[in-house]
């Protein structure tokens, strides 16, 4: 089969500079890896869980010619240093670029990219020519998304509309503490062994405790804490 020249055109754009690769590489390689995950499952063995493809990479080897008038050199070619400077600057400044490969009568490649590897070398007997290998990796934008929140303007406060600084809650009635088992009280005076008032055995002085029993109709009807029985007049109910 006769040799057919590679008729594709390869363009790179970084910043405001767009260039056409001067000499088409013989074998540009486009690698499309996957990111599938494999797991071991009891009774099934190994399974694979499909996931989205990994980043695409494009690589090739070629050279920048010193003699731009040769028949194999694409039109508009510049001297080698121009391309070397462009690619090295893209790496140093972390520039995001674009790769476009056009193919006659076939599909095209068009992707945002970063330079991940760029190597140059000189070969004896070909002074001025710069041989190189280049690898570009697909770039996917990943910045945070901004969501605009649209709010309706607030209506001015009127006499019938409470302002933002005023509480619209209905005032609650103040609850009056009642005599009940479990109420918190402050006790003053003597406390007795029984509700009839027999055998006083101690004196409370602003004693904070709890009502434990109530025996209505007796002289000392309220039992507090573990102390004893007292009269209702001796108590200040606090909760």
């Amino acid at each position: 089969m006769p040799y057919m020249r590679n008729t594709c055109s390869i363009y790179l754009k970084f910043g405001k500079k767009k260039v056409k690769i001067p000499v088409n590489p013989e074998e540009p390689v486009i690698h499309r890896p996957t990111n599938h995950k494999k797991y071991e499952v009891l009774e099934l063995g190994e399974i694979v869980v499909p996931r989205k493809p990994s980043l695409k990479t494009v690589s090739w080897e070629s050279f920048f010619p010193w003699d731009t008038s040769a028949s194999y050199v694409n039109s508009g070619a510049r001297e080698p240093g121009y391309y070397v400077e462009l690619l090295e600057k893209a790496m140093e400044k972390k520039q995001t670029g674009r790769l476009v490969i056009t193919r006659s009568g076939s599909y095209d490649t068009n992707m945002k990219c970063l330079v991940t590897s760029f190597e140059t070398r000189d070969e004896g007997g070909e002074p001025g020519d710069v041989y190189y290998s280049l690898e570009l990796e697909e770039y996917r934008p990943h910045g945070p998304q901004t969501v605009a929140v649209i709010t309706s303007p607030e209506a001015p406060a009127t006499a019938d509309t409470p302002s933002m600084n005023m509480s619209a809650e209905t005032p609650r009635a103040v609850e009056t503490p009642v005599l009940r088992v479990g109420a918190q009280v402050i006790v003053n005076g003597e406390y007795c062994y029984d509700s009839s008032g027999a055998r006083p055995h101690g004196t409370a002085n602003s004693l904070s405790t709890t009502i434990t029993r109530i025996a209505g109709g007796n002289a000392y009807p309220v039992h507090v804490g573990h102390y004893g029985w007292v009269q209702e007049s001796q108590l200040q109910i606090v909760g």
Side-chain angles (χ1 to χ4, degrees), residues 4 7-8 26 41 65 68 81 83 116 125 148 168 176 186 196 200 205 207 212-213 238:
M4 295 182 63
T7 57
C8 72
E26 291 187 8
V41 178
T68 59
Y83 302 100
T116 54
T176 303
I186 295 176
S196 63
N205 184 15
L207 173 65
T212 56
R213 293 176 61 188
V238 294

Side-chain angles (χ1 to χ4, degrees), residues 179-183 185 187 190-196 209-225 227-235 237:
L179 189 70
R180 57 182 175 80
V181 174
V185 293
V187 186
E190 292 183 334
Y191 46 86
C192 305
Y193 274 116
D194 58 39
S195 60
S196 63
T209 184
T210 304
I211 295 175
T212 56
R213 293 176 61 188
I214 298 176
N218 295 335
Y220 288 73
V222 183
H223 191 277
V224 293
Y227 300 99
W229 296 86
V230 297
Q231 296 177 336
E232 186 176 348
S233 61
Q234 296 175 241
L235 303 176
I237 303 174

Side-chain angles (χ1 to χ4, degrees), residues 17 21 25 32 51 75 77 89 94 99 103 109 113 130 140 145 148 151 174-175 196 206 208 217 219-220 222:
K17 292 184 178 180
I21 297 302
R32 299 180 179 89
R51 302 183 66 178
S75 60
K89 181 180 178 181
K94 306 174 185 177
L99 167 69
R103 302 171 179 84
T109 298
C113 62
V130 176
R140 293 176 185 168
Q145 296 183 348
T151 58
V174 177
E175 297 180 357
S196 63
S206 298
S208 179
Y220 288 73
V222 183

Side-chain angles (χ1 to χ4, degrees), residues 103-175:
R103 302 171 179 84
S104 300
S106 183
Y107 70 98
D108 294 338
T109 298
N110 188 332
M111 75 176 195
K112 284 187 174 182
C113 62
L114 292 167
V115 180
T116 54
S117 177
F118 177 54
E119 298 180 3
T120 61
R121 67 183 185 277
D122 298 319
E123 294 192 1
E126 300 180 54
D129 292 345
V130 176
Y131 284 78
Y132 70 94
S133 60
L134 178 66
E135 181 179 272
L136 305 169
E137 188 167 46
E138 181 182 7
Y139 175 81
R140 293 176 185 168
H142 55 275
Q145 296 183 348
T146 303
V147 178
V149 179
I150 301 175
T151 58
S152 58
E154 296 181 359
T158 64
D160 298 328
T161 305
S163 67
M164 293 298 293
N165 295 326
M166 297 177 60
S167 173
E169 183 179 356
T170 303
R172 298 180 181 178
V174 177
E175 297 180 357

Side-chain angles (χ1 to χ4, degrees), residues 4-50:
M4 295 182 63
R5 184 171 176 235
N6 188 342
T7 57
C8 72
S9 296
I10 302 177
Y11 299 89
L12 287 174
K13 184 177 185 299
F14 289 99
K16 296 182 179 180
K17 292 184 178 180
K18 179 180 178 181
V19 299
K20 183 178 183 179
I21 297 302
V23 178
N24 290 348
E26 291 187 8
E27 295 181 349
V29 178
I30 300 177
H31 183 51
R32 299 180 179 89
T34 62
N35 195 27
H36 303 330
K37 297 297 182 181
K38 292 183 178 181
Y39 302 94
E40 286 287 338
V41 178
L42 292 177
E43 298 183 0
L44 290 179
E46 189 176 52
I47 65 169
V48 61
V49 177

